[in-house]
Amino acid sequence: MIAERETRVLNTVQAINEALDLALAKDPRVVLFGEDVGAMGGVFRASDGLQQKYGEKRVFDTPLAESAIVGFGIGLAMAGLRPIAEIQFAGFLYPALDQILSHLGRMRHRTRGRFTIPMVIRAPYGGGVRTPEQHADSPEALLCHVPGVKVVIPSSPERAKGLLLAAVEDPDPVFFLEAIKLYRGARSEVPEGYYTLPIGKARVVREGRAASLFCYGGMVEVCQKAAEVAAREGVELEVVDLETLVPLDTETLLESVRKTGRAVVVYEAMRTGGFGAEVAARIAEEALDYLQAPIVRVAGWDAPYPPFSAVENHYRPDAKRVLEAVRRVLTH
């Protein structure tokens, strides 16, 4: 039982490093590779020390070629290994879209189940730390539109460790997106040892009856701050961490809407075509009769993410924008 274990306070990078270490130790089929993951230990140090511990055959660097990294991983998985590929930033995934769209999610169906691709593709995403251009993209909606893959986005160190180990055990490809802002900005009690958390389950991180806030990854922290402010004014908001976008836990989502009657969806990708549109559509299709106000989305703007500047404070949703949306659904 996880609840009975000893815990330590870790940040998200430390929790991910620990999960990778445990996965490599448990299963000799697990290999870890990507740009600078070996001697350097990864651009964010998530694989720090692992090449020294497990050797260059299991933890190794690759050329600067994202399409080759993903294609190489697909081949390794078909040969019986369990590859974990690191893409330095999710905004660098685009050269690999041919491998992702044409092969990664299709192999189980193409081979009628004779081959699966038990591969994890880790990538940091999102803003909040003033990175250069293309380093803060949030392409989760793009990935969610690829049939045959799962998309997981943890919101805390404890969730990151358990979900990453579950992703490594999964028989099908999993995109594991890690919010850059949380790498060193989030710390929590993390259980010792090996444990997994279920993929495909959302969780209510704060209960309330006035309105539901649906979020994931770096936006969970933002929504919790908004809920704390609202609570001081006597408004109890429910915060639901979707955690897995594919497969989406629709039932937990709908259960919350049936209770509160009002929904705000928060994500930091651009608004148009973002994953929040899918959440809003599911609510409209299956819980319309429970709604007391239109669903409101809080998202990034329909523009490239602003690099290197304080302008990103106006792009990335914050608690103030979430509370403005809450006022809209409460006063409708």
Side-chain angles (χ1 to χ4, degrees):
M1 294 293 289
I2 294 175
E4 298 173 352
R5 296 182 180 217
E6 295 291 325
T7 62
R8 283 179 299 144
V9 175
L10 301 178
N11 65 32
T12 305
V13 168
Q14 292 169 326
I16 289 170
N17 179 271
E18 198 162 284
L20 294 172
D21 189 357
L22 289 165
L24 286 158
K26 182 183 181 186
D27 190 341
R29 297 173 299 171
V30 173
V31 291
L32 173 64
F33 54 91
E35 297 156 8
D36 298 323
V37 305
M40 180 178 167
V43 68
F44 290 101
R45 304 297 186 267
S47 55
D48 193 28
L50 298 181
Q51 187 181 71
Q52 293 85 340
K53 188 171 183 179
Y54 295 99
E56 295 182 2
K57 290 186 177 179
R58 296 189 65 197
V59 181
F60 50 91
D61 295 325
T62 65
L64 190 67
E66 284 76 13
S67 181
I69 292 170
V70 176
F72 178 59
I74 293 170
L76 290 178
M78 292 183 70
L81 299 183
R82 287 188 170 266
I84 305 173
E86 178 179 297
I87 302 295
Q88 278 196 338
F89 294 88
F92 296 174
L93 268 171
Y94 310 137
L97 283 179
D98 178 41
Q99 291 291 344
I100 293 167
L101 291 162
S102 301
H103 304 295
L104 180 68
R106 297 174 186 264
M107 202 58 71
R108 175 188 281 276
H109 302 271
R110 180 178 294 159
T111 65
R112 298 183 181 179
R114 286 187 296 120
F115 289 97
T116 63
I117 306 295
M119 178 179 181
V120 179
I121 301 176
R122 297 179 40 248
Y125 85 98
V129 295
R130 300 188 182 181
T131 55
E133 196 270 335
Q134 205 174 330
H135 291 61
D137 284 14
S138 298
E140 66 272 18
L142 198 63
L143 302 175
C144 288
H145 202 62
V146 179
V149 305
K150 297 181 175 75
V151 179
V152 177
I153 307 182
S155 62
S156 74
E158 180 240 351
R159 308 303 295 180
K161 180 179 174 181
L163 286 166
L164 180 52
L165 288 170
V168 175
E169 291 184 359
D170 199 283
D172 290 305
V174 177
F175 283 101
F176 196 83
L177 301 184
E178 301 155 7
I180 293 175
K181 183 85 163 51
L182 301 182
Y183 267 155
R184 287 183 168 77
R187 297 176 64 83
S188 68
E189 296 280 349
V190 177
E192 296 278 8
Y194 194 103
Y195 67 92
T196 60
L197 295 171
I199 290 175
K201 284 292 295 178
R203 64 192 183 107
V204 177
V205 295
R206 182 185 181 108
E207 294 196 1
R209 302 198 68 86
S212 300
L213 305 181
F214 297 108
C215 49
Y216 50 88
M219 289 295 103
V220 174
E221 178 188 49
V222 170
C223 288
Q224 286 180 303
K225 287 180 181 176
E228 289 168 8
V229 173
R232 291 198 286 271
E233 300 172 1
V235 178
E236 293 296 339
L237 301 175
E238 182 146 298
V239 179
V240 181
D241 179 3
L242 299 178
E243 207 161 69
T244 301
L245 305 192
V246 178
L248 181 64
D249 181 3
T250 305
E251 187 49 44
T252 297
L253 187 156
L254 296 177
E255 188 177 325
S256 181
V257 172
R258 293 184 190 116
K259 181 168 75 172
T260 67
R262 295 176 170 85
V264 175
V265 191
V266 185
Y267 54 106
E268 59 181 298
M270 59 181 282
R271 174 185 170 89
T272 300
F275 192 75
E278 177 64 28
V279 174
R282 300 256 184 135
I283 296 170
E285 286 175 345
E286 301 186 48
L288 183 63
D289 291 343
Y290 294 88
L291 287 175
Q292 299 178 49
I295 303 160
V296 174
R297 286 175 288 167
V298 180
W301 308 110
D302 289 347
Y305 196 93
F308 277 137
S309 72
V311 177
E312 77 170 328
N313 294 340
H314 301 284
Y315 185 97
R316 189 172 186 267
D318 59 12
K320 181 181 177 184
R321 284 177 60 193
V322 173
L323 288 168
E324 289 171 355
V326 169
R327 277 190 280 275
R328 285 177 61 188
V329 299
L330 291 179
T331 58
H332 177 76

